[in-house]
Amino acid sequence: MDYLKISNLYDLNETIAAEIFDGAEYPWEILPKISAFIIRLGNTLPEEKYEKRGENIWVARNANVFSSAYIGGPAIIDEEAEIRQCAFIRGNAIVGKGAVVGNSTELKNVILFNKVQVPHYNYVGDSILGYRAHMGAGSITSNVKSDKTLVVVKSADGNIETGLKKFGAMLGDCVEVGCNSVLNPGSVIGRETNIYPLSRVRGYIPEKSIYKDSGNIVRKEI
């Protein structure tokens, strides 16, 4: 199942958190490590570029953080990121260079690669969003199953037990998620795939695809 591996989903040159992926095979293996990694990395960041704001919170000096936004630690807000009005960063969050966290968007235990956009009323929890991934207004990651059992990643080639109770979505580089879509626990979306608005997504969606609904996934025309 190589298509589920880190190397086939993400360009690690596009995140300050590249080191956290060392030795891992699948991206969800990273989720329990985010908090400790932020604290370790944050304490090495240069003071001339990053300001420490409160306990275990580092914000790039050229990032744009609106006064009504809330940032809880541990967290790193990288250079030229924009944290807009009433954003709610609950902690264990890395926001990449030039990323946008928008109005009333909530983050928790996430890595956003560079240039990610979650700009309008999004919830992103226990998830990793690749370079230039974009979530349309109102789209969310659902990170806990309704029956509270452990999350399984489902694909055409079989299922992978993750051992995790909380696991939202892994979005590859340049994924586009349409407005008001729900990414169910354990969703993995390959690079450059588009998800139609109002979708309910589960399992693995191949790269360079257009997801119209669960029975209608087509390859992009090149």
Side-chain angles (χ1 to χ4, degrees), residues 5 41 47 62 137:
K5 292 181 178 180
L41 176 61
E47 292 185 5
N62 63 1

Side-chain angles (χ1 to χ4, degrees), residues 158-178:
N159 299 337
I160 298 179
E161 301 283 346
T162 70
L164 299 171
K165 183 178 178 180
K166 295 186 177 182
F167 170 179
M170 304 288 125
L171 272 58
D173 296 338
C174 302
V175 165
E176 290 279 345
V177 179

Side-chain angles (χ1 to χ4, degrees), residues 69-163:
Y70 173 85
I71 303 175
I76 293 174
I77 311 300
D78 208 351
E79 296 178 286
E80 298 181 344
E82 185 171 326
I83 313 299
R84 292 177 178 167
Q85 296 95 331
C86 300
F88 179 29
I89 299 177
R90 287 168 51 189
N92 298 344
I94 297 173
V95 177
K97 288 180 173 64
V100 174
V101 181
N103 174 32
S104 301
T105 291
E106 180 179 350
L107 304 182
K108 173 255 181 188
N109 201 49
V110 297
I111 297 175
L112 308 186
F113 276 52
N114 300 342
K115 301 290 186 179
V116 165
Q117 293 196 1
V118 283
H120 310 289
Y121 306 103
N122 306 109
Y123 173 69
V124 186
D126 300 284
S127 299
I128 300 175
L129 277 56
Y131 175 63
R132 287 191 179 276
H134 170 254
M135 295 185 67
S139 60
I140 65 169
T141 64
S142 174
N143 61 333
V144 180
K145 294 173 65 176
S146 59
D147 61 6
K148 306 302 188 292
T149 58
L150 300 181
V151 176
V152 175
V153 176
K154 299 180 179 181
S155 76
D157 297 316
N159 299 337
I160 298 179
E161 301 283 346
T162 70

